[in-house]
Amino acid sequence: MRAYRLEEFGTLDGIVLGEAPTPEPGGDEIVVKIRARSLNYRDLLILHRLYPLAGVKGVVPVSDGAGEVVAVGERVSRLAPGDRVAGVYFPRWRSGPIEPDQGRDQFGCTRNGMLAEYVVAEEQAFVKVPDHLSFEEAATLPCAAVTAWSALTGPRRVLPGESVLTIGTGGVALFALQFAKLFGARTIAITSSAEKVQLLKWQGADEVIDYRKNPGWDKLVRDMTGGAGVDHVVETGSVETLHKSLAACAWNAEVASILALTGGALDIPALRGLVTLRRLFVGSRADFEAMNRAIAHHKLRPVIGRVFPFREARAAYEYFAARRHVGKVTIADAA
Amino acid sequence: MRAYRLEEFGTLDGIVLGEAPTPEPGGDEIVVKIRARSLNYRDLLILHRLYPLAGVKGVVPVSDGAGEVVAVGERVSRLAPGDRVAGVYFPRWRSGPIEPDQGRDQFGCTRNGMLAEYVVAEEQAFVKVPDHLSFEEAATLPCAAVTAWSALTGPRRVLPGESVLTIGTGGVALFALQFAKLFGARTIAITSSAEKVQLLKWQGADEVIDYRKNPGWDKLVRDMTGGAGVDHVVETGSVETLHKSLAACAWNAEVASILALTGGALDIPALRGLVTLRRLFVGSRADFEAMNRAIAHHKLRPVIGRVFPFREARAAYEYFAARRHVGKVTIADAA
Amino acid sequence: MRAYRLEEFGTLDGIVLGEAPTPEPGGDEIVVKIRARSLNYRDLLILHRLYPLAGVKGVVPVSDGAGEVVAVGERVSRLAPGDRVAGVYFPRWRSGPIEPDQGRDQFGCTRNGMLAEYVVAEEQAFVKVPDHLSFEEAATLPCAAVTAWSALTGPRRVLPGESVLTIGTGGVALFALQFAKLFGARTIAITSSAEKVQLLKWQGADEVIDYRKNPGWDKLVRDMTGGAGVDHVVETGSVETLHKSLAACAWNAEVASILALTGGALDIPALRGLVTLRRLFVGSRADFEAMNRAIAHHKLRPVIGRVFPFREARAAYEYFAARRHVGKVTIADAA
Amino acid sequence: MRAYRLEEFGTLDGIVLGEAPTPEPGGDEIVVKIRARSLNYRDLLILHRLYPLAGVKGVVPVSDGAGEVVAVGERVSRLAPGDRVAGVYFPRWRSGPIEPDQGRDQFGCTRNGMLAEYVVAEEQAFVKVPDHLSFEEAATLPCAAVTAWSALTGPRRVLPGESVLTIGTGGVALFALQFAKLFGARTIAITSSAEKVQLLKWQGADEVIDYRKNPGWDKLVRDMTGGAGVDHVVETGSVETLHKSLAACAWNAEVASILALTGGALDIPALRGLVTLRRLFVGSRADFEAMNRAIAHHKLRPVIGRVFPFREARAAYEYFAARRHVGKVTIADAA
């Protein structure tokens, strides 16, 4: 089979396409023909050795992929050939709070990922995907969608009529917006450009603020909520947006933070009211499955910004790194 | 002002219309011109002395009413004349779990209720109602709607894509159905007649089962959910439906029970899987306010089965007692 | 190695001692030399084919055992030879709510259990046990102790100063009593005989009621709690005790039910106040590990009623079935 | 009666002792003869106009006091003359999450506080105190103890065997330590001096670290917990301790923050793992009552650092402001 490998860190040229033996399943394993992948910020961090978990040299990169089961080991019971599946970001994390050892194993980092024609792994590392989704759509789910779902399912639950603030038009932000609507929430989104306002409204934003035109957008958000502030923030921005999103919060609000913690400092007085700041890492397999039930029931469709062919995977990385996309950047079938 | 009083228990003739002094507000009190009321099963229980809390002889009956603030005491700060409000079922219960002493004070039972032109009470005993609702619609909320909201906001939260089973077309059941949709849930309703099937679908049921035609409806519900069973039941039926709704449950399901506990026995083996059976009493003022945010955001409209004029309040009781209505039975403005 | 096998159901004579090949570990498996076992009511139910899950003919019986790791497969990473471990009741249930497929695999039922010199299973099916416990003490934990822990860690948390009622002197009840003390709770125990009163006090009961002398013990419990009733019940009795334990409950209490649901009927009016009735099945591996932290920190010691030698396993079953023991009945090392 | 009043802000001389009419109770009010008070950091902030809520000029200062009910209005039902009570920090906050309007009314700030011989307020603003406490001990509870209790009763519950880190020997820290023991937790305390180590051990610390001698105490804490880190932090220190307490945290830990947010900046990379940072404000009346049950059941005794006579209230402020005390600084009976 054809497979990309991470032969060198720090440069896109380190991602090298080559041949590899097509895998066979062990006793509790399945082989999946990968039909589509999607990129995440962590894939860049791994490439540049900035990720908390060191990538293995020579590993097949990319955590997110979806495809079809083509072979199963003799002890496999949950899945069968023909099943449409996606990989789980943390293959060992089933449910409940994550334990450190469950965080230390990831596709495209410590084990071979999705940028190949086939992947082999234990059946527990995959979930079935909703029927109405294409493989490209399904490939957007493992990291960004599960992260957005987890952001909305913390201890401070999202009730219908509560307000949720999302930041920008990245993958997590768009899923958070779409999911917040499923919870019956009122959604407020901020973005940096007029043309994205319309996209956000299509995807379910009740109100959209262009933060370039409204540098005091925190006050605007408070005004929109009768002075109270928003109940939930899915913070996918930066320490700059965090200062304002905290200022836009209601008493007792929760800020679910997906920030890359690469720098910056939070002014302590910004922690106003009774806000809880909760960090999260993607989610468990149980979260993924619960999310899939919601996606399937509501026939929700992920937003795909652009699709690259398999042979142009490096171009996909480059496009993604430029951060001008909306939604998810995917890499299609190797066929 | 005109006011009905409960002069005798056990008979509809005990509900007597007469004159009473129009009330004045004390320091922390407001006077509300009541513009509409709705009836609940507890109003019948109080009339017939079957309610756990004894009604005071001579009390103005009926817990649920909505109207306009017309006068406020000098220490009132949350409300002002002109505000559109509804009474709180347990006027002393603000939030958190109910405490026994908060349960021992109720409109239309231990203190004067809503079947009068005006009511006076401390401002804390009222909440503002959503702008888009008529007074009749707002009058349906204090008991039935808050009960349905509480049924869906217990420790086992309702997630988008989870399934909720409702029983029948009474006030609580219809609110539970409408609210379950706001939570993004899949809704399954059972009813006893073909003509109600359509009403339930209009109100948001994804699937409706006519249980007269399908005495094995528990199996049908399990089949509809891929064999798993439903995640939530709002049990407003009887011990008979409870046996079947338990049988229709998924592992880890929650049955929120609003059953009048007047008799019957539950076969212990019916407690299957890991079902939690949770009893509840209406809800707190905080629950009412959270629910109102959801109703306002979604412009939800309560289902009113029939409206009676103020002077025909006894006919309203009689009609309600016959239990052939759907949704809520209301009593209009005294004007 | 020597191993008992369940050769016939319905009779103690069906439990037959014989020779079997000493197991070798597969890639993700460990071999444990079992040094002690304990019996649970489920072991009798499986013998008599009354358990919801059918036992496999010829299976090595008994779910609960503790011992020493003696060999590990090449992919094993959590455990090493020499580790002192116990088996997990549901070997596939890691954390979070149990899923049906995780409930369908159990030691001593669908797979070989602990009544042998050695057992082989995937490393994930074991947990390390606290250092201060003997193997016999550790062997009491997998079913009864984890059940008691789960009973006290439901959605309605146990706070210091809250009251917990336990029923009798069986394994689960004694662990529930000991654990409730660790939570800082006030503990009330009921028992059937004067001599057990002292045992219960030694194990941490603040108050003990002899229910034979006090048939109206529900009222006594309410009196002891200033009329309020208890906040938590760990119901390990029968439908008869359940009627009274419900009557002994405070508003908002939780009854964690471990009842074998083999018959009886619960009078619906017994569901008073706002009691939640929650069923549970043992607990997950994460529950087991959290419990072990508590046991280790507090140097808690399980109560062992009697120890039988390995060659007298049938006598242990017989003694256990007579139900005159207190605490746990264990079967010692095969040496 | 004699009463201190806050006649001028910014200086201790602004706290002036004078005569005032002894209050009479209104319909729902009680008069309490205050027998002891305790000081909190907020009392200094109010004096110096640094508190988020502006103090009323001329108000009787001090939030925390305990005493005896001496007169009750005709509508009072929860309390009676002779009852031993303490004031509630937020008199309008009963239970559930605090609402902004419930935060805007406080003893010793917007309404007369405890630095007088008598105080009058609605009965709902007081709770009964445990019998075994002196008035001085009871006067330590309303702010510091309830804060510590709330810090340990957030969404991430404290389980027996989990670890709790406390910072220093102030009022909140010592209560947090004592309460953490009641929850069965393992307790680790840090302090700045050798002589306080012993005090912390007496009050229940399993381990104490002198952070002056161990500037890398975060690593020490991780080592003490087998590398995992602590599960809970009650952060009463400063932004400096916060950086280290975050570094001392386990994955999934919760830091309950009581920091005065007057300045400083938190390095974003300090937000490691999956830590949740939760701010809190004291607690509700329901929290106070739940805490009192725990204190009463365990006969817990607050730590009083020093007692001043009523006529030396200014000296008490001065001593408290120097921040060399341990535990609580109280002001005794005016008698």
Side-chain angles (χ1 to χ4, degrees):
Chain A
M1 70 166 183
R2 283 170 296 159
Y4 285 90
R5 293 194 173 275
L6 211 41
E7 300 292 2
E8 197 184 337
F9 293 99
T11 165
L12 273 181
D13 292 337
I15 306 172
V16 178
L17 182 59
E19 279 297 315
T22 300
E24 296 287 328
D28 62 348
E29 292 179 336
I30 64 174
V31 173
V32 178
K33 181 166 176 24
I34 300 300
R35 304 287 305 275
R37 305 90 191 147
S38 78
L39 292 180
N40 292 287
Y41 189 53
R42 62 84 80 173
D43 295 313
L44 295 180
L45 293 175
I46 289 168
L47 176 64
H48 293 289
R49 294 233 138 161
L50 297 168
Y51 197 59
L53 195 65
V56 170
K57 195 166 180 177
V59 80
V60 175
V62 177
S63 60
D64 288 17
E68 204 175 330
V69 179
V70 292
V72 304
E74 72 275 10
R75 283 187 280 129
V76 164
S77 62
R78 288 170 63 243
L79 297 169
D83 282 348
R84 303 168 75 249
V85 298
V88 175
Y89 190 85
F90 293 111
R92 298 192 196 174
W93 181 18
R94 305 287 162 77
S95 66
I98 192 171
E99 292 164 26
D101 72 302
Q102 295 168 338
R104 291 189 203 113
D105 184 22
Q106 299 177 21
F107 285 114
C109 182
T110 54
R111 59 157 85 192
N112 285 332
M114 304 296 171
L115 205 53
E117 284 186 90
Y118 297 90
V119 71
V120 64
E122 64 278 18
E123 65 164 330
Q124 304 292 348
F126 294 89
V127 298
K128 287 187 195 173
V129 294
D131 290 343
H132 74 286
L133 297 183
S134 69
F135 283 116
E136 268 141 36
E137 289 168 327
T140 66
L141 302 179
C143 180
V146 177
T147 298
W149 180 263
S150 298
L152 298 173
T153 53
R156 167 83 159 87
R157 70 176 88 182
V158 178
L159 290 176
E162 288 194 333
S163 49
V164 175
L165 174 68
T166 62
I167 313 291
T169 50
V172 176
L174 286 178
F175 279 118
L177 181 58
Q178 292 177 305
F179 293 156
K181 292 300 284 186
L182 304 191
F183 282 86
R186 175 182 176 189
T187 48
I188 303 177
I190 65 164
T191 182
S192 60
S193 77
E195 64 264 33
K196 289 177 179 168
V197 168
Q198 197 49 51
L199 169 76
L200 287 161
K201 290 203 168 165
W202 282 332
Q203 296 305 330
D206 292 312
E207 278 115 341
V208 183
I209 301 173
D210 181 339
Y211 67 81
R212 304 232 168 154
K213 286 194 197 150
N214 297 279
W217 58 265
D218 50 326
K219 166 123 189 7
L220 212 55
V221 171
R222 289 197 306 276
D223 290 348
M224 282 173 173
T225 52
V230 288
D231 301 303
H232 302 269
V233 178
V234 182
E235 180 52 84
T236 54
S238 64
V239 73
E240 284 73 39
T241 56
L242 178 58
H243 276 102
K244 292 210 166 160
S245 64
L246 284 166
C249 275
W251 276 35
N252 302 305
E254 189 197 76
V255 177
S257 165
I258 338 283
L259 298 183
L261 301 181
T262 43
L266 175 66
D267 294 336
I268 288 290
L271 289 166
R272 301 161 61 253
L274 292 162
V275 172
T276 289
L277 186 60
R278 179 171 69 90
R279 289 200 69 219
L280 62 95
F281 290 172
V282 194
S284 66
R285 196 181 84 194
D287 293 323
F288 199 162
E289 290 167 333
M291 177 191 80
N292 282 348
R293 283 182 74 176
I295 290 174
H297 180 63
H298 292 277
K299 300 274 184 288
L300 185 146
R301 303 212 88 97
V303 177
I304 295 179
R306 186 154 160 198
V307 185
F308 285 82
F310 182 74
R311 65 180 182 281
E312 294 179 20
R314 280 197 298 235
Y317 265 79
E318 209 164 356
Y319 177 76
F320 182 78
R323 300 188 138 270
R324 281 194 300 269
H325 61 283
V326 295
K328 295 291 294 173
V329 173
T330 65
I331 298 170
D333 205 347
Chain B
M1 68 167 183
R2 284 169 296 159
Y4 285 90
R5 294 192 173 277
L6 210 41
E7 300 292 3
E8 197 182 339
F9 295 99
T11 167
L12 273 181
D13 293 337
I15 306 172
V16 178
L17 181 59
E19 280 295 317
T22 300
E24 297 287 328
D28 64 348
E29 292 179 334
I30 63 173
V31 173
V32 179
K33 180 163 176 27
I34 300 300
R35 304 286 304 274
R37 303 93 192 146
S38 79
L39 292 180
N40 292 287
Y41 189 53
R42 62 83 81 171
D43 296 312
L44 295 179
L45 293 175
I46 289 168
L47 176 64
H48 292 290
R49 297 232 136 166
L50 296 169
Y51 196 60
L53 195 65
V56 170
K57 195 167 181 178
V59 80
V60 175
V62 177
S63 60
D64 288 17
E68 204 176 330
V69 178
V70 291
V72 303
E74 72 274 12
R75 283 187 283 129
V76 164
S77 62
R78 287 170 63 245
L79 297 170
D83 282 348
R84 302 168 75 249
V85 297
V88 175
Y89 190 85
F90 292 111
R92 298 191 196 175
W93 182 17
R94 304 286 162 80
S95 67
I98 194 171
E99 292 165 26
D101 72 300
Q102 295 168 337
R104 291 189 202 112
D105 184 22
Q106 297 176 22
F107 285 114
C109 182
T110 54
R111 60 157 84 192
N112 284 333
M114 303 296 171
L115 206 51
E117 284 185 90
Y118 296 91
V119 71
V120 63
E122 64 279 18
E123 65 165 330
Q124 304 292 349
F126 294 88
V127 297
K128 287 187 195 173
V129 294
D131 290 343
H132 73 287
L133 297 183
S134 70
F135 283 115
E136 266 141 36
E137 289 169 327
T140 67
L141 303 179
C143 180
V146 177
T147 298
W149 180 263
S150 298
L152 297 173
T153 52
R156 168 81 160 88
R157 71 175 87 180
V158 179
L159 290 176
E162 287 194 334
S163 50
V164 175
L165 174 68
T166 61
I167 312 291
T169 49
V172 176
L174 286 178
F175 279 118
L177 180 59
Q178 292 177 306
F179 293 155
K181 293 299 284 185
L182 304 190
F183 282 86
R186 177 181 175 190
T187 48
I188 303 176
I190 65 163
T191 181
S192 59
S193 77
E195 65 264 33
K196 289 176 178 168
V197 168
Q198 198 50 52
L199 169 75
L200 287 161
K201 291 201 169 167
W202 283 332
Q203 296 304 330
D206 292 312
E207 279 114 341
V208 184
I209 301 173
D210 181 337
Y211 67 81
R212 302 231 168 154
K213 286 191 196 151
N214 298 280
W217 58 265
D218 50 326
K219 168 121 188 9
L220 212 54
V221 170
R222 288 198 307 276
D223 290 348
M224 284 172 172
T225 52
V230 288
D231 302 303
H232 302 269
V233 178
V234 182
E235 179 52 86
T236 54
S238 64
V239 73
E240 284 74 37
T241 56
L242 178 58
H243 277 101
K244 293 209 166 161
S245 63
L246 284 166
C249 275
W251 276 34
N252 302 304
E254 188 197 79
V255 177
S257 164
I258 339 281
L259 298 183
L261 301 181
T262 44
L266 174 66
D267 293 335
I268 288 289
L271 288 166
R272 301 160 62 252
L274 291 162
V275 172
T276 289
L277 187 60
R278 179 171 69 92
R279 289 201 67 217
L280 63 95
F281 291 171
V282 193
S284 67
R285 197 181 83 193
D287 293 324
F288 199 162
E289 289 167 332
M291 176 191 81
N292 282 348
R293 283 182 73 174
I295 290 175
H297 179 64
H298 292 278
K299 300 274 186 288
L300 185 147
R301 305 213 86 99
V303 177
I304 295 179
R306 187 154 160 198
V307 184
F308 286 82
F310 183 73
R311 66 181 183 280
E312 292 179 22
R314 279 196 298 234
Y317 265 77
E318 209 164 356
Y319 176 78
F320 181 79
R323 301 189 136 272
R324 280 193 300 268
H325 60 283
V326 294
K328 295 292 294 175
V329 173
T330 64
I331 298 170
D333 205 347
Chain C
M1 70 166 182
R2 283 169 296 159
Y4 286 90
R5 293 193 174 276
L6 211 42
E7 301 292 3
E8 198 184 336
F9 294 100
T11 165
L12 273 180
D13 293 337
I15 306 172
V16 179
L17 181 60
E19 279 296 315
T22 300
E24 297 287 326
D28 63 348
E29 290 179 335
I30 63 173
V31 173
V32 178
K33 180 163 173 31
I34 300 299
R35 304 286 305 274
R37 305 93 190 146
S38 78
L39 293 180
N40 293 287
Y41 189 53
R42 63 83 81 172
D43 295 312
L44 295 180
L45 294 175
I46 289 168
L47 176 65
H48 293 289
R49 296 232 135 164
L50 297 168
Y51 197 60
L53 195 65
V56 170
K57 196 169 179 173
V59 79
V60 176
V62 176
S63 59
D64 288 17
E68 203 175 330
V69 178
V70 291
V72 304
E74 72 275 9
R75 281 189 281 128
V76 164
S77 62
R78 287 170 64 245
L79 297 170
D83 282 348
R84 303 168 75 249
V85 298
V88 175
Y89 191 84
F90 292 110
R92 298 191 196 175
W93 181 19
R94 304 288 161 77
S95 67
I98 193 171
E99 292 165 26
D101 72 302
Q102 296 167 337
R104 292 189 202 108
D105 184 21
Q106 298 177 21
F107 285 114
C109 182
T110 54
R111 60 158 83 193
N112 285 332
M114 304 295 170
L115 205 52
E117 285 185 88
Y118 297 89
V119 72
V120 63
E122 63 279 18
E123 64 165 332
Q124 304 291 349
F126 294 88
V127 297
K128 287 188 197 173
V129 294
D131 290 342
H132 74 287
L133 297 183
S134 69
F135 283 116
E136 267 141 36
E137 290 169 327
T140 66
L141 302 178
C143 180
V146 177
T147 298
W149 180 263
S150 298
L152 297 174
T153 53
R156 167 80 159 90
R157 71 175 87 180
V158 178
L159 290 175
E162 288 195 334
S163 50
V164 175
L165 174 68
T166 61
I167 312 290
T169 50
V172 176
L174 286 179
F175 278 119
L177 181 58
Q178 292 178 303
F179 293 156
K181 292 299 286 185
L182 304 190
F183 281 86
R186 176 182 175 189
T187 48
I188 304 175
I190 65 164
T191 182
S192 59
S193 78
E195 66 264 32
K196 289 176 179 168
V197 168
Q198 197 50 51
L199 170 76
L200 287 161
K201 290 201 169 165
W202 282 331
Q203 295 305 329
D206 293 311
E207 278 115 340
V208 184
I209 301 173
D210 181 339
Y211 67 80
R212 302 230 170 155
K213 287 192 197 150
N214 297 280
W217 58 266
D218 50 324
K219 167 124 189 4
L220 212 54
V221 171
R222 289 198 307 277
D223 290 348
M224 283 172 173
T225 51
V230 288
D231 300 304
H232 303 270
V233 178
V234 182
E235 180 52 86
T236 55
S238 64
V239 73
E240 284 73 38
T241 56
L242 178 58
H243 277 101
K244 293 210 165 160
S245 64
L246 285 166
C249 276
W251 276 37
N252 301 306
E254 188 197 77
V255 177
S257 166
I258 339 280
L259 298 183
L261 302 180
T262 44
L266 175 65
D267 293 335
I268 288 290
L271 288 166
R272 301 160 63 251
L274 292 162
V275 173
T276 289
L277 186 61
R278 178 171 70 90
R279 289 201 69 217
L280 62 96
F281 291 172
V282 194
S284 67
R285 198 183 80 193
D287 293 323
F288 199 162
E289 289 167 333
M291 177 191 79
N292 281 348
R293 284 182 73 174
I295 290 175
H297 179 64
H298 292 278
K299 301 275 186 285
L300 185 146
R301 303 213 88 97
V303 177
I304 296 180
R306 187 155 160 196
V307 184
F308 286 82
F310 182 73
R311 64 180 184 280
E312 293 178 23
R314 278 196 300 235
Y317 265 79
E318 210 164 355
Y319 177 78
F320 182 78
R323 301 188 137 270
R324 279 192 300 267
H325 59 284
V326 295
K328 296 290 294 173
V329 173
T330 65
I331 298 170
D333 205 348
Chain D
M1 68 165 184
R2 282 170 297 158
Y4 285 90
R5 294 193 173 276
L6 210 41
E7 301 291 4
E8 198 182 337
F9 293 99
T11 166
L12 273 180
D13 294 337
I15 306 172
V16 178
L17 181 60
E19 280 296 314
T22 301
E24 297 287 326
D28 63 349
E29 292 179 335
I30 63 173
V31 173
V32 178
K33 180 163 175 29
I34 300 301
R35 303 286 303 275
R37 305 93 191 144
S38 78
L39 292 180
N40 292 288
Y41 189 53
R42 60 83 80 173
D43 295 313
L44 295 179
L45 293 176
I46 289 169
L47 176 64
H48 293 289
R49 295 231 138 163
L50 297 168
Y51 197 61
L53 194 65
V56 171
K57 194 167 180 175
V59 79
V60 175
V62 176
S63 61
D64 287 17
E68 203 177 330
V69 178
V70 292
V72 304
E74 72 274 10
R75 281 187 284 127
V76 165
S77 62
R78 287 170 64 245
L79 296 170
D83 282 347
R84 302 168 76 248
V85 296
V88 175
Y89 190 86
F90 292 111
R92 298 190 195 177
W93 182 18
R94 304 288 162 78
S95 68
I98 193 171
E99 293 165 26
D101 73 302
Q102 295 167 339
R104 290 189 202 109
D105 184 22
Q106 297 177 21
F107 284 113
C109 182
T110 53
R111 59 157 87 192
N112 285 333
M114 303 297 170
L115 205 52
E117 285 186 88
Y118 297 90
V119 71
V120 62
E122 65 278 18
E123 64 164 331
Q124 304 292 348
F126 294 89
V127 297
K128 287 188 197 174
V129 293
D131 290 342
H132 75 286
L133 297 183
S134 69
F135 283 115
E136 267 142 37
E137 289 169 326
T140 67
L141 302 178
C143 180
V146 176
T147 298
W149 180 263
S150 298
L152 297 173
T153 52
R156 167 82 159 88
R157 70 176 88 179
V158 179
L159 290 176
E162 288 194 333
S163 50
V164 175
L165 174 68
T166 62
I167 312 291
T169 49
V172 175
L174 286 178
F175 278 119
L177 181 59
Q178 292 178 305
F179 293 156
K181 293 299 284 185
L182 304 191
F183 282 86
R186 175 182 177 189
T187 48
I188 303 176
I190 65 163
T191 182
S192 59
S193 78
E195 65 264 32
K196 289 176 179 169
V197 168
Q198 198 49 53
L199 170 76
L200 287 161
K201 291 203 168 165
W202 283 332
Q203 296 305 330
D206 292 312
E207 278 115 340
V208 184
I209 301 174
D210 181 338
Y211 66 80
R212 302 230 169 154
K213 287 192 197 151
N214 297 280
W217 57 266
D218 51 326
K219 167 122 188 8
L220 212 54
V221 170
R222 289 198 307 276
D223 289 347
M224 283 173 172
T225 52
V230 288
D231 302 303
H232 302 270
V233 179
V234 182
E235 180 52 85
T236 55
S238 64
V239 74
E240 284 75 38
T241 55
L242 178 58
H243 277 101
K244 294 211 164 159
S245 63
L246 285 165
C249 275
W251 277 36
N252 301 305
E254 188 198 79
V255 177
S257 164
I258 338 280
L259 299 183
L261 301 181
T262 43
L266 175 65
D267 293 336
I268 287 289
L271 289 166
R272 301 161 62 252
L274 291 162
V275 172
T276 289
L277 186 60
R278 179 171 69 91
R279 289 200 68 218
L280 62 94
F281 291 172
V282 194
S284 67
R285 197 181 83 193
D287 293 323
F288 200 162
E289 290 167 333
M291 177 191 80
N292 282 347
R293 283 183 72 175
I295 290 175
H297 179 63
H298 292 278
K299 300 276 184 287
L300 185 146
R301 304 214 86 99
V303 177
I304 295 179
R306 186 153 162 199
V307 184
F308 286 81
F310 182 73
R311 65 181 182 280
E312 294 178 20
R314 279 196 299 232
Y317 265 78
E318 210 164 356
Y319 176 79
F320 182 78
R323 299 189 138 271
R324 280 193 300 267
H325 60 284
V326 294
K328 295 291 294 173
V329 173
T330 64
I331 297 170
D333 205 347

